[in-house]
Amino acid sequence: MKNLMEQMNEAVADAFTACGYDGKYARVTVSNRPDLCEYQCNGALAAAKEYKKAPMAIAQEAAQKLSDSPIFSVAEAVKPGFLNLKIRETCLADFLCRMMEEPDYGNEKTTDPKTIMIDYGGPNIAKPLHVGHLRSAIIGESIKRMGRFTGHEMIGDVHMGDWGLQMGLIITELSERKPDLPYFSESFEGEYPKEAPFTISELEEIYPTASSKSKEDEAYKERAMQATYELQHGRRGYSALLEHILHVSVTDLKKNYENLNVSFDLWKGESDAQPYIPAMVQKMKDDGFAHLSEGALVVDVKEETDTKEIPPCMILKSDGASLYNTTDLATIVERMEKWHPQEIIYVVDKRQELYFTQVFRCARKTGLVDTDTKLTFLGFGTMNGKNGKPFKTREGGVMRLSALLEEINEEMYHKISENQTMSEEEAKETAKVVALSAVKYGDLSNQASKDYIFDIERFTSFEGNTGPYLLYTIVRIKSILKKYEQAGKHADGKHILPAASESEKALMLEVSRFHGMIAAAFAELAPHKVCAYLYDLANAFNHFYHETKILAQEDEARQAGYIRLLQLCMGIMETCIDVLGFSAPERM
C-alpha cells in the first residue's frame, strides 16, 4: 500500500514531466508553514537553473496541471516559486479507511529482510544493574522492536561481562571465606554440588569486597590474577564455580530486565567467545596481520585518511591473556559462524567510539566478517541529574536501577491515588505501567547520541511531552469508545468520513503519517522520531477532542466516522508505544 507522500510525489512528478521538466524536481515535503499549506514542493527553484526559466513560471505551470487532481484540493504557486499543496478531504478519508483494512495499518514488510544482531545490555556478572545500564537496555530494545515491525529478523544479545579479573576476584574471595569447598581442591574428582554456594545478595557483596582488597593488598591481587588465568585455561573447579555465578546472576538479571520490559534472544557472555580465540589468533598470525609490539600481539588498524591517531588493536597482552578486544572479536567470529548476520549493531556509551573503531577495523582487515556485513556503532549520551552531572543517589553514589524504578513507581502511585477512583491494588499496578512509560519515553524522546537530564518530576507529569501524557491520551480514547459501546452502538463496517473541521483534518493528517514512519525511523536507528510522531498525534487528537462533540453528535454516520477515526488513532498509538517498549493501562 503506497503511503500518501508517495502518491503526492507521483502526482507532482507527473505534473512536472507533463510540463516538460524532469520529475526528479518534484519532491513533496510536509510544509514548514502549516498556516499556509499542508505540503509543499520547492523543486521549481532548482529546476529554474537547468531550464533557465523563472521558478515562478515553472511552479505556475505545475499548479495548473494539478488543478483537477483527485489528490490535491489546493495546488498554488507562490513567490519566488514554491508550490503550496493541500490534500483533498475525500482522498485523505479514503486513505485512512484503507489503512484500517490492512495488516499493520498498511505498513508493508521490507522487501529486503536482513538478519540483524543487536548487542545491548552489557551487564557485568555478580554486579547489580545500575542507572548506567538503563540507556543501552531501553534504546536497544526499541531498535530491536522497530526492526521486527519492519520485517527484519532481529536477534538481541545481552553480551554479559563474565570473564576477566572480576571472576578471579570472586573466586579468590570465596576461597578465603569457604576454603573447604571442593572447587578449590585440585585433587577433587567427584561431581560438584548442583546448588550454588552463595545467594545473589552474597555474590553482590563479595565482588566489591574483593575489588577493594585487591587495591590495598598486592598479594591478594596476584592471587586473583592467577585465579583468572587458571579459569581462562580450563581449571575444572573454577569452571564449575563460573557456572554457579552465571546461573545465580542471570536469574536475577532476567527479573530486573523484565521489570523494564526488556528481553534478549541470547544470554551470551564473554566466556562463550573463549573457544573461538585460539583459532582466530592463529589465523591473524598466519595471515600476517598480527605482530608483536612491546611483547603484546597487535593488529595495526590506522588508515591513511585518519585525521587523528588510531592506536593498534591489541589482541593478546604480553603474558598471553585476552582482553575485551579479543573477546569482542571472537564474539564476531561466533556470530558470523552461527547466525550469518548482514548487520551487527552495538548499543553502547558514545565514549567507547574509538574502541569500536579499532574493533570494527580489525574485524574487517582480518576477514572476520563478510565484505557486505555492516558493523554499526550506536553510541548514546549520558543520563544526567538536574546538576548536569551523571545521575547519582542523594548520597552521591551510583543508583541501582531497581531503586530508580521503585522511586518512580512510588511517585506515580501517589499521583494516581490522588484521584481516589481505584483500589490500592489497581493503583499500584497502574502506577507501574505509567512509571515505565515515564522512564522509557523520557529517555527515548531524546536523540540517542545526546546527553539528557533525568528529571523525575517532569517525566512523571501528565502534561507536556511525557510518557504519562501519551498514556492519558490513549486512556481518554478508550473511555470514549467504551461509552459509545455502552450506549448500544457499533461502528463496525462504517467509514471514516471526509473531515468537517480543521482540527479533524489535522488529526487525520497526523494519522496518515504513521504509514512508513517506523520504517524510516528504523533506517536511521532513531526511536526519538517515533516519540516525536506520537507526541504530535496525541496533541492533534486532544485538540480535536476539545473542539468536537463526539458522543453528543446527532448525525449517526458522522459520529460513527468519528469513532472509526478514534479506533485507528488508538491502534496506531498502542502500536507505537509497543515498539518503544511500554503499554497503556485501561484507565488512569
Side-chain angles (χ1 to χ4, degrees), residues 116-120 135-156 343-348 376 378 380 440 444 448 518 520-530 578-581:
I116 301 173
M117 299 199 75
I118 180 162
D119 187 318
Y120 67 109
R135 298 212 73 190
S136 179
I138 287 177
I139 297 167
E141 182 70 16
S142 66
I143 297 293
K144 181 185 74 179
R145 291 174 179 234
M146 289 163 67
R148 283 182 180 163
F149 183 84
T150 55
H152 298 288
E153 182 186 358
M154 304 295 293
I155 303 172
E343 183 174 9
I344 308 174
I345 302 169
Y346 293 79
V347 185
V348 287
T376 302
L378 179 57
F380 54 80
K440 288 200 163 188
L444 293 171
I518 292 179
F522 177 69
E524 296 180 43
L525 301 180
H528 70 280
K529 295 201 169 182
V530 179
D578 181 65
V579 161
L580 296 175

Side-chain angles (χ1 to χ4, degrees), residues 209-229:
T209 300
S211 180
S212 180
K213 282 185 180 180
S214 71
K215 292 170 185 173
E216 299 168 2
D217 185 341
E218 192 60 35
Y220 185 95
K221 184 177 181 180
E222 286 292 329
R223 287 171 55 205
M225 291 174 70
Q226 180 61 28
T228 304
Y229 178 86

Side-chain angles (χ1 to χ4, degrees), residues 314-489:
M314 192 182 297
I315 307 301
L316 296 175
K317 293 196 288 187
S318 56
D319 61 0
S322 59
L323 305 98
Y324 285 125
N325 308 49
T326 326
T327 53
D328 272 324
L329 288 165
T331 297
I332 288 174
V333 173
E334 181 187 22
R335 287 170 176 167
M336 294 304 297
E337 284 190 11
K338 290 185 175 180
W339 293 281
H340 312 288
Q342 280 87 46
E343 183 174 9
I344 308 174
I345 302 169
Y346 293 79
V347 185
V348 287
D349 191 311
K350 67 181 180 182
R351 290 171 291 189
Q352 294 189 46
E353 185 171 9
L354 173 59
Y355 167 79
F356 278 98
T357 296
Q358 292 173 294
V359 170
F360 291 175
R361 286 187 181 183
C362 184
R364 289 212 177 282
K365 185 173 182 177
T366 60
L368 302 187
V369 294
D370 297 336
T371 53
D372 58 349
T373 300
K374 192 175 179 184
L375 297 173
T376 302
F377 173 78
L378 179 57
F380 54 80
T382 310
M383 168 184 157
N384 296 325
K386 288 184 180 180
N387 61 1
K389 296 178 180 178
F391 197 87
K392 302 282 186 181
T393 63
R394 290 185 180 89
E395 293 74 33
V398 177
M399 181 177 275
R400 285 194 176 201
L401 194 50
S402 57
L404 177 68
L405 294 178
E406 194 175 314
E407 188 174 330
I408 296 177
N409 285 345
E410 195 67 28
E411 178 76 15
M412 288 311 316
Y413 172 69
H414 287 311
K415 288 188 176 185
I416 289 170
S417 298
E418 288 173 1
N419 295 333
Q420 298 181 335
T421 58
M422 297 182 186
S423 66
E424 183 181 350
E425 185 178 344
E426 186 184 0
K428 284 184 177 178
E429 286 304 309
T430 302
K432 283 183 184 177
V433 175
V434 182
L436 187 60
S437 80
V439 172
K440 288 200 163 188
Y441 188 83
D443 187 301
L444 293 171
S445 56
N446 299 279
Q447 189 172 335
S449 61
K450 293 183 178 178
D451 299 347
Y452 76 97
I453 303 296
F454 193 91
D455 185 340
I456 292 178
E457 189 176 333
R458 182 171 71 84
F459 286 1
T460 56
S461 172
F462 286 84
E463 297 177 354
N465 191 8
T466 69
Y469 168 70
L470 297 177
L471 298 197
Y472 189 75
T473 301
I474 293 172
V475 168
R476 173 176 274 168
I477 298 174
K478 286 183 177 182
S479 175
I480 296 169
L481 298 178
K482 189 174 182 180
K483 286 177 182 176
Y484 182 78
E485 287 185 3
Q486 287 173 341
K489 299 179 180 181

Side-chain angles (χ1 to χ4, degrees), residues 91-371:
C91 174
L92 182 57
D94 288 345
F95 181 77
L96 266 55
C97 287
R98 279 185 285 129
M99 279 182 72
M100 287 203 78
E101 294 166 2
E102 295 286 332
D104 291 333
Y105 306 109
N107 284 275
E108 295 173 0
K109 302 301 182 187
T110 177
T111 56
D112 183 25
K114 293 181 171 62
T115 298
I116 301 173
M117 299 199 75
I118 180 162
D119 187 318
Y120 67 109
N124 285 315
I125 289 301
K127 292 183 183 179
L129 291 176
H130 56 77
V131 293
H133 294 108
L134 187 68
R135 298 212 73 190
S136 179
I138 287 177
I139 297 167
E141 182 70 16
S142 66
I143 297 293
K144 181 185 74 179
R145 291 174 179 234
M146 289 163 67
R148 283 182 180 163
F149 183 84
T150 55
H152 298 288
E153 182 186 358
M154 304 295 293
I155 303 172
D157 185 3
V158 69
H159 196 68
M160 298 173 292
D162 64 350
W163 207 242
L165 184 58
Q166 70 188 68
M167 294 298 111
L169 287 166
I170 293 168
I171 291 169
T172 301
E173 184 60 22
L174 270 173
S175 70
E176 287 205 347
R177 297 184 183 194
K178 301 178 180 182
D180 296 330
L181 289 174
Y183 310 98
F184 305 115
S185 171
E186 292 193 62
S187 62
F188 182 79
E189 295 180 354
E191 286 193 15
Y192 293 108
K194 292 183 178 178
E195 291 296 318
F198 42 73
T199 63
I200 185 63
S201 298
E202 290 171 329
L203 195 56
E204 288 178 353
E205 181 272 325
I206 285 170
Y207 176 72
T209 300
S211 180
S212 180
K213 282 185 180 180
S214 71
K215 292 170 185 173
E216 299 168 2
D217 185 341
E218 192 60 35
Y220 185 95
K221 184 177 181 180
E222 286 292 329
R223 287 171 55 205
M225 291 174 70
Q226 180 61 28
T228 304
Y229 178 86
E230 291 181 24
L231 169 66
Q232 294 183 353
H233 286 78
R235 180 164 167 174
R236 184 168 167 265
Y238 292 179
S239 296
L241 266 179
L242 177 62
E243 284 186 28
H244 286 314
I245 294 168
L246 284 171
H247 177 72
V248 170
S249 288
V250 169
T251 300
D252 185 64
L253 284 170
K254 284 182 176 178
K255 289 178 185 175
N256 279 282
Y257 279 121
E258 204 172 281
N259 289 333
L260 273 177
N261 197 20
V262 169
S263 63
F264 301 92
D265 304 287
L266 302 174
W267 284 83
K268 294 276 189 178
E270 291 175 272
S271 60
D272 291 289
Q274 298 309 304
Y276 297 88
I277 290 176
M280 178 189 78
V281 171
Q282 191 59 50
K283 188 175 186 303
M284 287 180 179
K285 290 178 178 177
D286 293 344
D287 292 347
F289 294 117
H291 64 91
L292 290 176
S293 174
E294 298 180 16
L297 190 69
V298 303
V299 172
D300 292 323
V301 293
K302 64 182 178 181
E303 296 175 358
E304 289 182 6
T305 54
D306 290 336
T307 55
K308 60 181 180 181
E309 184 67 24
I310 305 294
C313 184
M314 192 182 297
I315 307 301
L316 296 175
K317 293 196 288 187
S318 56
D319 61 0
S322 59
L323 305 98
Y324 285 125
N325 308 49
T326 326
T327 53
D328 272 324
L329 288 165
T331 297
I332 288 174
V333 173
E334 181 187 22
R335 287 170 176 167
M336 294 304 297
E337 284 190 11
K338 290 185 175 180
W339 293 281
H340 312 288
Q342 280 87 46
E343 183 174 9
I344 308 174
I345 302 169
Y346 293 79
V347 185
V348 287
D349 191 311
K350 67 181 180 182
R351 290 171 291 189
Q352 294 189 46
E353 185 171 9
L354 173 59
Y355 167 79
F356 278 98
T357 296
Q358 292 173 294
V359 170
F360 291 175
R361 286 187 181 183
C362 184
R364 289 212 177 282
K365 185 173 182 177
T366 60
L368 302 187
V369 294
D370 297 336
T371 53

